[in-house]
Amino acid sequence: MSEYVIETASDDDWDALIQVVENAFHEEHSDAVSATERIAIEIDRTLVARRDGEIVGSASIQTRHLAVPGAVVPAAHVTLVSVATTARRRGILTGFMRRQFDDARAAGEPVAVLFASEGRIYQRFGYGLAATRLGLTIDTTEAKLTVPAGAGRIREASPQALRDEMAKLFDEVFAARPGWSERASRHWDYRLADPKEWRRGANALRAVVHENDGGEVDGYALWRTQWPDSGPYGEVRVVEQVAANPDAYNAIWAFLMAVDLTRSVNVWLASSQEPLIYAVSDPRRLEGRFGDAVWLRVLDVPAALAARRYAADLDIVIEVTDSMLPSNAGRWRLTGSPAAAACVSTVDAPDLTMDVRALGAAYLGGTPLSALAATGQVVEHTAGAIARADAALRWHVPPAPLEVF
């Protein structure tokens, strides 16, 4: 890779950088999209690869916290990763990953997370599939809610007009939702941005909130509609849905599934354990499509394992292998409970052995070790260790994605 130089980007690099990203993802250039993408990007945490001065690759980190079982941890949110077609197979991506690992660890971030354009790309760098998603196409002429919407009312206004109320509710519920990412003001700016290129033929972004009997906002949804030429068979496209309690959840879905002149609701980023699955008259009419969502890389094993909480008391020795970060490799005694956790180096015999990729997959509590053990990715040395670890690692709220960053 001697002809390439990886270094921190500057503000002057933005136009060339975003062009590389657009080319990599087969997008036409748009000044509006470029300006929108710039909103949440931290240039001082953005890397570029140069060849004779020309930018041929990029990789960036957003500084955010991540909700994990029982806690919130600093997490490097990896984004804008791209390499020009003319610069592939030169080790640029590996160079980006190594630099990001060093940067994140220096920033005190024990884990990194990303959404992958292709899952196979990042597994070789130690990322594990920590949260999956479910896409839904709901036939609202057939699928009806079987649960009551409860008290309260739905109120609609522009997304900007409802921004403060939505942000307040998000902050109230975020920490209890593993897989969700903290939002600063710039992340809300990005979330509510609405360039036409992002609409994919649908109308402008809309918003509703649910108010309880006391007038407090306890739920909201961001959504769009698409109107076909053939008549009143419109589609509701759900961008985001957040609820603090069952009344709000049911009321928001009742509204989305009954928008006038529509016959379907499309959700790209629902939870694989979305409660709606169990609350409709005919689940087959949801037409679910499984996909990967949050990929997680453990960068500091003892710090990451001590940062989260555990559903059951646990005292176990885990042997971890990690070819890219030798400081992660070794045997670690993990003691955890719903209230506290600690993880220290040990020379004791391991109860379990796994690669850092398997550890990342299990970290948010949604990927059972037993499933990884079935393909040899986790090896049990002490009888019953997998069952005990699974019971502790799993959480009462399964990890779910909410946004692509």
Side-chain angles (χ1 to χ4, degrees), residues 8-299:
T8 302
S10 70
D11 286 322
D12 293 338
D13 291 325
W14 178 254
D15 289 343
L17 184 160
I18 198 63
Q19 186 67 64
V20 171
V21 175
E22 290 168 341
N23 290 343
F25 288 92
H26 311 296
E27 299 283 353
E28 292 186 8
H29 177 72
S30 160
D31 289 342
V33 172
S34 175
T36 301
E37 292 289 357
R38 182 66 182 85
I39 290 172
I41 296 304
E42 301 166 46
I43 285 293
D44 61 344
R45 300 200 74 182
T46 301
L47 301 172
V48 293
R50 301 185 196 273
R51 178 180 57 196
D52 299 328
E54 174 194 14
I55 292 177
V56 294
S58 67
S60 186
I61 289 174
Q62 294 180 9
T63 306
R64 304 174 73 171
H65 283 73
L66 179 74
V68 302
V72 172
V73 302
H77 285 59
V78 176
T79 186
L80 285 192
V81 180
S82 64
V83 176
T85 304
T86 57
R88 296 171 66 240
R89 304 290 187 264
R90 299 293 190 275
I92 292 175
L93 182 57
T94 299
F96 282 152
M97 292 293 105
R98 291 190 182 280
R99 283 283 297 269
Q100 285 191 332
F101 290 172
D102 290 343
D103 175 30
R105 285 166 60 89
E109 295 161 333
V111 300
V113 289
L114 55 77
F115 278 76
S117 55
E118 288 185 272
R120 62 182 176 177
I121 295 175
Y122 295 96
Q123 294 185 61
R124 60 192 176 101
F125 300 114
Y127 281 88
L129 180 53
T132 56
R133 68 175 181 86
L134 196 63
L136 301 174
T137 299
I138 306 166
D139 178 356
T140 54
T141 66
E142 296 289 341
K144 306 296 181 182
L145 285 179
T146 59
V147 293
R153 69 164 184 150
I154 296 289
R155 174 164 56 90
E156 181 171 11
S158 72
Q160 291 299 338
L162 295 175
R163 171 176 171 153
D164 290 347
E165 292 169 288
M166 293 189 295
K168 179 177 182 293
L169 176 63
F170 181 92
D171 289 344
E172 290 171 357
V173 303
F174 148 71
R177 309 292 174 89
W180 288 21
S181 301
E182 167 202 34
R183 286 183 184 165
S185 179
R186 65 180 180 274
H187 304 127
W188 275 104
D189 291 343
Y190 182 82
R191 189 53 158 165
L192 299 184
D194 193 27
K196 287 186 177 180
E197 291 84 353
W198 284 4
R199 298 177 187 177
R200 308 293 184 185
N203 295 327
L205 190 65
R206 301 171 68 173
V208 294
V209 295
H210 179 264
E211 295 176 341
N212 63 22
D213 282 344
E216 297 175 334
V217 171
D218 56 1
Y220 73 81
L222 296 169
W223 56 292
R224 308 178 189 277
T225 57
Q226 183 178 29
W227 178 263
D229 294 334
S230 57
Y233 299 98
E235 178 183 70
V236 172
R237 296 183 182 175
V238 180
V239 176
E240 178 169 302
Q241 182 271 334
V242 172
N245 54 61
D247 277 354
Y249 182 89
N250 296 346
I252 291 288
W253 276 111
F255 169 82
L256 294 170
M257 294 172 65
V259 174
D260 287 343
L261 305 181
T262 67
R263 300 293 185 270
S264 65
V265 176
N266 188 281
V267 189
W268 185 76
L269 207 58
S271 168
S272 57
Q273 292 295 318
E274 189 66 43
L276 184 67
I277 300 169
Y278 310 100
V280 295
S281 56
D282 190 350
R284 297 179 189 178
R285 299 296 184 171
L286 301 183
E287 294 187 21
R289 303 171 303 281
F290 173 86
D292 60 288
V294 180
W295 293 80
L296 187 145
R297 213 299 181 180
V298 176
L299 302 173

Side-chain angles (χ1 to χ4, degrees), residues 295-319:
W295 293 80
L296 187 145
R297 213 299 181 180
V298 176
L299 302 173
D300 184 331
V301 169
L305 292 179
R308 57 156 291 175
R309 298 296 173 256
Y310 298 84
D313 290 348
L314 182 67
D315 185 347
I316 199 168
V317 175
I318 303 172
E319 185 169 33

